[in-house]
Amino acid sequence: MKTALCNFCLKSGILCQKCSEKIKSGELTQLDLEIARLLVSLENTYPSLQNVHFHKAVEARDTIAIIVGRGDVPRLLGHGGKIIKALGKKTGKVIRVLEHGSDERKFLEDLFAPLSIITINTIWLPDGTTETRVILKGRGDKPPFNIEDLKEIAHKVRNLTLRVEFAR
Ligand SMILES: [Zn+2]
């Protein structure tokens, strides 16, 4: 695991002065620390995690989005989804994995996976703001995630206001 926190702190459960400054200044959050520690604790079981670059974790009610480096998403989703399951169990939340610095389409694809996206377009509102409309394939009766949580995450991570619709 590569993070802005040092390995000593992630493994020991104690924070050195440098890391504790990062938390105090708000550069990193308690949630970042918690998720980074969980990921490190899973490294022995899933060695592919050693190469994962962890950027940040963002929370919305029942969902946690983990933001990782370019190309790292499959490293977390691999192993038959066991890493995600383990993280979900330990946090009691639904886990989503997103790529840092991805373009908008890739961001939305990762956010709504495994559902596929039919269309993405921008809607201009009379007050000059925009909404991003995402049409997902399916009936929308039982999506494998909480849509309101994902909207909140999109807002926190990319400042996007989403409108989510379904079509077959
Ligand atoms: Zn440290």
Side-chain angles (χ1 to χ4, degrees):
M1 269 271 299
K2 298 160 193 166
T3 71
L5 295 154
C6 67
N7 244 326
F8 168 81
C9 289
L10 292 178
K11 287 186 173 153
S12 67
I14 306 162
L15 282 183
C16 72
Q17 196 167 355
K18 242 179 148 180
C19 289
S20 121
E21 279 303 318
K22 285 179 182 167
I23 305 264
K24 263 189 220 143
S25 71
E27 183 188 337
L28 293 164
T29 63
Q30 281 295 336
L31 182 69
D32 293 334
L33 178 64
E34 183 194 335
I35 297 298
R37 278 185 174 147
L38 281 174
L39 288 169
V40 163
S41 74
L42 293 167
E43 268 184 0
N44 284 340
T45 321
Y46 307 105
S48 69
L49 280 176
Q50 282 167 15
N51 298 315
V52 169
H53 196 131
F54 169 75
H55 281 270
K56 214 169 175 25
V58 178
E59 198 170 17
R61 226 164 45 98
D62 297 324
T63 309
I64 293 176
I66 298 177
I67 301 166
V68 295
R70 187 159 283 244
D72 285 341
V73 173
R75 292 193 171 106
L76 258 88
L77 295 180
H79 299 286
K82 282 186 190 155
I83 297 175
I84 301 306
K85 266 183 216 145
L87 289 169
K89 218 171 176 184
K90 287 190 173 162
T91 56
K93 307 262 178 173
V94 175
I95 306 291
R96 303 262 91 200
V97 185
L98 305 171
E99 188 176 280
H100 179 77
S102 61
D103 63 31
E104 192 172 294
R105 178 158 197 111
K106 165 96 172 105
F107 170 79
L108 293 169
E109 281 172 358
D110 287 341
L111 189 66
F112 291 106
L115 298 188
S116 30
I117 293 174
I118 299 172
T119 312
I120 300 168
N121 52 38
T122 302
I123 298 169
W124 290 86
L125 300 179
D127 65 358
T129 60
T130 60
E131 279 185 1
T132 302
R133 184 166 71 143
V134 182
I135 302 178
L136 298 169
K137 196 172 179 176
R139 287 190 302 168
D141 45 359
K142 271 187 186 170
F145 40 66
N146 182 306
I147 290 173
E148 290 309 311
D149 284 7
L150 297 193
K151 283 182 178 174
E152 192 179 327
I153 284 168
H155 201 261
K156 283 181 173 166
V157 176
R158 310 245 344 187
N159 206 21
L160 284 177
T161 304
L162 296 186
R163 187 185 294 188
V164 180
E165 292 167 18
F166 286 87
R168 275 192 278 180

